[in-house]
């Protein structure tokens, strides 16, 4: 006999009433993850051999009123631009210029705020052909990440710099991660030379890889850049000169008296300690973490930096 409409509703109501108890019986709280070594634990257990000192000849001090920003240059990936930036520093080109742009989730950029009457250049060059990639065979250090990447066939680290490579084309390049320092340019690939520089202060814009010359990365002082007031003009430029952030000076660390330098070390990215750092990020332990990601993104792989003597 077919159930009538009222019988069907009664059956449905009975099943519905039983569902919560059935549901509660089948769902279990996730098992607690065991405690694992953290990045802080790895750093604490590291040895002096796991660290390298910054080379004063390839370290810039960008001084603003709020403090010092330390930039490590990467001549292996942009030799001509790095040499030109050093020439600009030597003639004190950047002194008295300004941070003119702070675009939310993008970059902070510095250079000459007067485009109509740009500061003369004495010995350096204003523009250079872009160094967007370098021959893979010229890169002496590369420690590959085992994790997949959507922007390059292979990614990893080259002596502390997030980098990528394509064995088929035989090229390598530095990746646009947070704190990356690049060379501002116009439409032409040869329209930049280092007079305009920027640091990435937002989500890693990896689509810029191989379209802009990357010359290094900020190793200390990112909060001074990432917390700058955002510019109200298009592309985050400041809409009046009084909002620009003056640059006191830019110097190579090697030209600064030793007692005025910051003694900094970067964890060697070819060390076992750094592999432990990656694993601590890739698969975090409990009790706070409830799920292990099993993956770490190139730009989300921390490269520990420490100041010696503090």
């Amino acid at each position: 006999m077919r159930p009538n409409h009222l019988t069907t509703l009664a059956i449905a109501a009975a099943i519905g009433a039983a569902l919560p108890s059935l549901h509660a019986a089948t769902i279990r709280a996730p098992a607690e993850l065991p405690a694992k070594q953290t990045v802080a634990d790895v750093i604490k257990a590291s040895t002096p051999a796991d660290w390298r000192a910054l080379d004063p000849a390839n370290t810039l001090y960008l001084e603003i009123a709020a403090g010092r920003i330390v930039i490590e240059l990467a001549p292996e990936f942009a030799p001509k631009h790095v040499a030109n930036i050093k020439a600009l520093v030597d003639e004190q080109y950047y002194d008295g210029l300004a941070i003119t742009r702070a675009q939310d989730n993008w970059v902070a950029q510095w250079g000459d705020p007067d485009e109509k009457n740009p500061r003369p250049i004495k010995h350096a060059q204003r523009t250079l052909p872009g160094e967007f990639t370098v021959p893979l065979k010229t890169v002496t250090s590369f420690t590959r990440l085992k994790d997949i990447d959507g922007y390059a066939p292979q990614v990893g680290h080259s002596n502390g710099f997030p980098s990528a490579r394509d064995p088929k084309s035989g090229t390598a390049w530095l990746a646009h991660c947070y704190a990356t320092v690049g060379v501002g340019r116009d439409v032409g690939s040869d329209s930049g030379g280092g007079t305009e520089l920027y640091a990435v202060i937002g989500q890693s814009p990896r689509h810029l890889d191989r379209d802009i010359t990357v010359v290094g990365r900020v190793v200390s002082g990112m909060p001074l850049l990432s917390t700058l007031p955002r510019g109200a003009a298009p592309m985050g430029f400041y809409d009046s000169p009084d909002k620009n952030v003056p640059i006191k000076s830019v110097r190579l660390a090697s030209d600064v008296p030793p007692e005025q330098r910051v003694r900094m070390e970067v964890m060697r990215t070819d060390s076992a300690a750094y592999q432990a750092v990656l694993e601590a990020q890739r698969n975090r332990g409990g009790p706070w973490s409830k799920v292990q990601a099993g993956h770490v993104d190139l730009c989300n792989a921390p490269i520990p930096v420490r100041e010696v003597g503090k």
Side-chain angles (χ1 to χ4, degrees), residues 7-177:
T7 304
T8 302
L9 289 177
I11 294 172
I15 294 174
L19 281 177
S21 59
L22 292 172
H23 188 65
T26 56
I27 291 182
R28 296 287 184 270
E32 289 290 333
L33 294 176
K36 293 188 67 174
Q37 193 176 38
T38 66
V39 172
D41 293 332
V42 176
I43 293 173
K44 187 176 180 180
S46 65
T47 68
D50 297 322
W51 300 82
R52 63 174 178 84
L54 293 183
D55 178 5
N58 285 306
T59 303
L60 292 181
Y61 293 156
L62 169 61
E63 307 282 359
I64 60 176
R68 173 178 286 176
I69 298 156
V70 182
I71 298 170
E72 183 177 21
L73 298 172
E76 191 171 42
F77 284 88
K80 294 179 181 178
H81 282 76
V82 167
N84 200 53
I85 290 168
K86 289 182 180 181
L88 290 166
V89 170
D90 185 60
E91 63 184 64
Q92 300 183 8
Y93 171 82
Y94 300 103
D95 296 11
L97 298 186
I99 299 172
T100 58
R101 176 188 181 196
Q103 186 172 1
D104 192 48
N105 199 32
W106 197 242
V107 301
Q109 183 170 316
W110 58 94
D112 193 341
D114 191 347
E115 293 185 351
K116 294 182 179 179
N117 300 290
R119 174 172 292 184
I121 292 176
K122 300 174 184 177
H123 308 294
Q125 296 176 269
R126 190 167 292 278
T127 61
L128 292 168
E131 294 178 289
F132 302 156
T133 65
V134 295
L136 190 152
K137 62 183 179 181
T138 66
V139 179
T140 58
S141 171
F142 180 69
T143 304
R144 185 177 177 181
L145 273 182
K146 67 181 182 180
D147 309 85
I148 61 172
D149 183 79
Y151 291 93
Q154 297 178 4
V155 293
H157 295 87
S158 297
N159 198 30
F161 293 94
S163 65
R165 53 174 51 194
D166 182 359
K168 287 186 178 180
S169 65
T171 56
W173 59 93
L174 292 183
H176 266 80
C177 296

Side-chain angles (χ1 to χ4, degrees), residues 231-300:
M235 299 177 65
F237 282 94
Y238 293 120
D239 55 7
S240 62
D242 61 294
K243 294 180 181 177
N244 292 335
V245 180
I247 293 174
K248 290 184 175 181
S249 66
V250 179
R251 295 287 184 272
L252 274 174
S254 57
D255 294 331
V256 173
E259 65 273 12
Q260 296 178 19
R261 299 177 191 174
V262 182
R263 293 180 59 205
M264 304 200 72
E265 293 182 336
V266 178
M267 182 171 279
R268 294 174 55 95
T269 48
D270 59 353
S271 67
Y274 187 64
Q275 290 303 310
V277 165
L278 294 177
E279 181 57 26
Q281 289 293 97
R282 187 181 287 118
N283 287 303
R284 302 184 186 201
W288 189 90
S289 295
K290 305 305 179 186
V291 177
Q292 292 184 339
H295 174 82
V296 65
D297 181 80
L298 172 66
C299 289
N300 207 30

